[in-house]
Amino acid sequence: GLPSELLERRPDIVAAERRVAAAFNATNQARAAQLPSIGLTSNVGGASSSLSDLLDPANIAWSAGASLLAPIFDGGARREAVEIASADQEQALAAYGQAAITAFSELETNLDQGVVLQQRIVDLKEAAAEAEKAFRIARLRYDEGEEELLSVLTIQQRVIGAKSSLSGVERLLLEQRVTLNLAIGGGWAN
C-alpha cells in the first residue's frame, strides 16, 4: 500500500538519479563541442580588437575557416568524446536501474519480515498465556500436595522462556520498523 515515490527519498536513489542527469549533461556537452564555434567579445567602449580582427577581410577567411574546420579535423577526438559520454550515460542508467531494484528488494524483504514477526508475536503471546495457565494449575496442585516442586519450577522456567522469547521478537519487530523507515528513505524526523 506504499507508493513507490517514497523510494525516491532514498539517498542512494537520489545519488543515482543525479549521476544520470550529470551523464546526460556530459553527453550534451560533448555533442555541442562537435559544432563549430565563433567567440564574440566586446569592450566597454565598443567592439573589442578580437571582434574587429575577426571582421577584418584579411583575417576573416583564416579565423572562420579555423573555427569551422577544427571540429572536422581533430582526428575524431570529439566524436570519441561523444561515444564515451554516451557509454557513461548508459552506465549511469544501468546503475540507476540497479539502485531501484535494490531499493524495491530491500523494501519487499522488510515488509515480509514485518508480517512474519507480527505472526510470531501472536504465536508467542499465545504460548506465553498457555504456559502461564499451566503454571497456575501446577502451583495449585503443588499447594494441594499433588505436584512436586521440581515440576512446578520446570513449568515456571517455560513461562520465563516464553516471555523472554516474546520480548526478543518484539525487539526484532521494532528494529524491523526502523529498517523499514530507512528502506523507504525516511529520516529520523519523519
Side-chain angles (χ1 to χ4, degrees), residues 104-158:
F104 278 112
S105 175
E106 287 176 4
L107 180 62
E108 182 180 3
T109 299
N110 219 297
L111 289 172
D112 289 344
Q113 183 184 23
V115 170
V116 168
L117 289 173
Q118 287 175 344
Q119 184 58 49
R120 281 182 62 193
I121 286 174
V122 168
D123 294 343
L124 286 172
K125 281 182 179 179
E126 185 179 324
E130 291 297 321
E132 192 78 43
K133 186 192 298 183
F135 176 68
R136 279 194 307 271
I137 293 171
R139 180 73 188 233
L140 285 173
R141 291 184 66 187
Y142 173 74
D143 290 343
E144 296 296 320
E146 298 175 12
E147 194 81 42
E148 293 181 6
L149 180 61
L150 184 59
S151 178
V152 174
L153 293 175
T154 302
I155 294 172
Q156 186 180 27
Q157 189 176 10
R158 281 191 222 143

Side-chain angles (χ1 to χ4, degrees), residues 57-89:
N59 293 333
I60 199 160
W62 171 252
S63 62
S67 295
L68 296 175
L69 296 178
I72 297 171
F73 296 113
D74 65 356
R78 294 177 193 210
R79 185 176 58 247
E80 292 297 320
V82 170
E83 289 179 19
I84 290 170
S86 295
D88 289 345
Q89 181 180 342

Side-chain angles (χ1 to χ4, degrees), residues 32-56:
Q34 287 183 310
L35 301 174
S37 65
I38 297 177
L40 298 176
T41 59
S42 67
N43 283 342
V44 175
S48 71
S49 63
S50 301
L51 184 58
S52 61
D53 289 347
L54 176 68
L55 297 177
D56 183 11

